[in-house]
Amino acid sequence: MTLRKLFLAAVATSFLACVKQVPAPPTRSGPPRPVQLLADTPERETSQIQEKREDVEIDTRDFERTPRVVAKGETPLLRLEGARARLYGDAAGKEGFSVDNLILLEVLDEKGQVLNRGAVGFTDMVRVGKEQVDSVGPMSFTFEPGVVDLTPLLPESAPFKLRATALDYSGVGRVSNVFLLLESPSKGTEDDLRGQ
């Protein structure tokens, strides 16, 4: 081996030794972890619901723009750990859920600061302050089991909480049981293939 090749080999070896090895985030396996977000709340006329979410504005011409709070819920501190996060109507992940009009989902960090938001339900544009909230899932009052995937809203490795607020702005307000299920990648893959 020439002196030049020996020198290049030594440089390459020292370079590889200096490359920072970033561990892969832990991947969870096993059964889905269910967390109840909202409890079944019977139908009430919008005008009978007293609490309002003053920082939220619904882009509507025919109804009240400030929605009323039908129900609220918040998870404990969670970690995604490589799982998919989907919404269901029961802890077993067999049932769908329903809402009239929408659920505002807010992802919080450990200190309670909002990291991200999404809206699920039958509504036009939703704003919180000056921020437009993206819709997650189809525009509907009812949702099939697991059709709403919240994984893109959530941090991959940092701990988070998920706050859910069922909101109504016209007619009647109600929400069924809503569960967040954190599903291991193997179950999530099966679910994805089932719809194809």
Side-chain angles (χ1 to χ4, degrees), residues 74-78 106-110 159-163:
E74 188 172 304
T75 69
L77 210 55
L78 302 170
E106 296 173 293
V107 182
L108 311 172
D109 67 12
E110 290 177 283
F160 66 91
K161 291 182 180 183
L162 187 63
R163 180 168 59 208

Side-chain angles (χ1 to χ4, degrees), residues 3-4 10 37 41 48 52-53 84 90 119 133 139 160 188:
L3 188 58
R4 182 170 188 259
L37 276 176
T41 304
Q48 294 176 349
K52 293 184 178 183
R53 182 73 191 254
R84 302 297 299 178
D90 67 328
V133 179
M139 186 171 169
F160 66 91

Side-chain angles (χ1 to χ4, degrees), residues 57-116:
E57 182 182 358
I58 308 296
D59 186 13
T60 177
R61 294 170 197 235
D62 301 324
F63 304 106
E64 190 175 352
R65 295 175 74 89
T66 303
R68 296 175 187 246
V69 177
V70 176
K72 295 186 278 193
E74 188 172 304
T75 69
L77 210 55
L78 302 170
R79 284 186 183 269
L80 205 53
E81 297 177 327
R84 302 297 299 178
R86 300 174 200 255
L87 297 183
Y88 294 89
D90 67 328
K94 304 287 186 201
E95 298 176 15
F97 67 95
S98 62
V99 63
D100 189 348
N101 285 97
L102 73 134
I103 302 169
L104 176 65
L105 298 158
E106 296 173 293
V107 182
L108 311 172
D109 67 12
E110 290 177 283
K111 297 177 182 176
Q113 297 297 310
V114 176
L115 301 173
N116 211 346

Side-chain angles (χ1 to χ4, degrees), residues 36-50:
Q36 187 163 12
L37 276 176
L38 295 168
D40 185 64
T41 304
E43 186 175 285
R44 288 185 293 166
E45 287 189 29
T46 308
S47 59
Q48 294 176 349
I49 303 170
Q50 298 304 311

Side-chain angles (χ1 to χ4, degrees), residues 5 20 25 30 37 55 58 67 69 72-74 93-94 100 102 132-133 140 148-149 162 175 177 181-182 190-191 194:
K5 286 183 180 177
K20 183 178 179 184
L37 276 176
D55 62 330
I58 308 296
V69 177
K72 295 186 278 193
E74 188 172 304
K94 304 287 186 201
D100 189 348
L102 73 134
Q132 182 174 332
V133 179
S140 181
V148 178
D149 187 346
L162 187 63
V175 67
N177 287 322
L181 264 68
L182 299 176
E190 290 169 13
D191 287 349
R194 194 176 49 191

